[in-house]
Amino acid sequence: MSKTSRTSITMPSSAKKGSIIEIRAIAQHDMESGFRYTESGKLIPRDIIRVFTCTYNDVEIFKADFYSGIGANPLIIFTTIATETGVLEFKWSGDNGYEAVNQANITVS
């Protein structure tokens, strides 16, 4: 079973060649640590996003590994250099078949 969630990307749609752009990526996910218990004492299984990657025209430019200490709905903020017009692809993957993918276009002049 594959689970997905809503994602949001905030970044400029255009930039001058060589300029630094800020990218904000968020995925809605509860990020259950695996250390909590229900009211009846049953352990709640771990369910976290484990890896986030961003590619720019199919070249990986950013990667983050997550662990059980990360809070719900993780927000990732990073920068890159606008080198050419193209597509940035954002991918989150995790426990229990979790996967979410989003894309954003950028025009570089």
Side-chain angles (χ1 to χ4, degrees), residues 69-90:
I70 298 293
N73 307 321
L75 170 64
I76 303 145
I77 303 171
F78 62 99
T79 60
T80 193
I81 297 173
T83 56
E84 60 187 357
T85 296
V87 177
L88 282 84
E89 182 174 90
F90 308 88

Side-chain angles (χ1 to χ4, degrees), residues 5 29 31 34 45 49 57 65 93 109:
S5 67
H29 192 288
M31 298 292 279
I49 295 171
N57 288 340
D65 294 320
S93 57
S109 56

Side-chain angles (χ1 to χ4, degrees), residues 4-18:
T4 61
S5 67
R6 276 192 335 185
T7 62
S8 178
I9 306 300
T10 303
M11 60 172 266
S13 59
S14 62
K16 292 201 178 296
K17 186 175 181 84

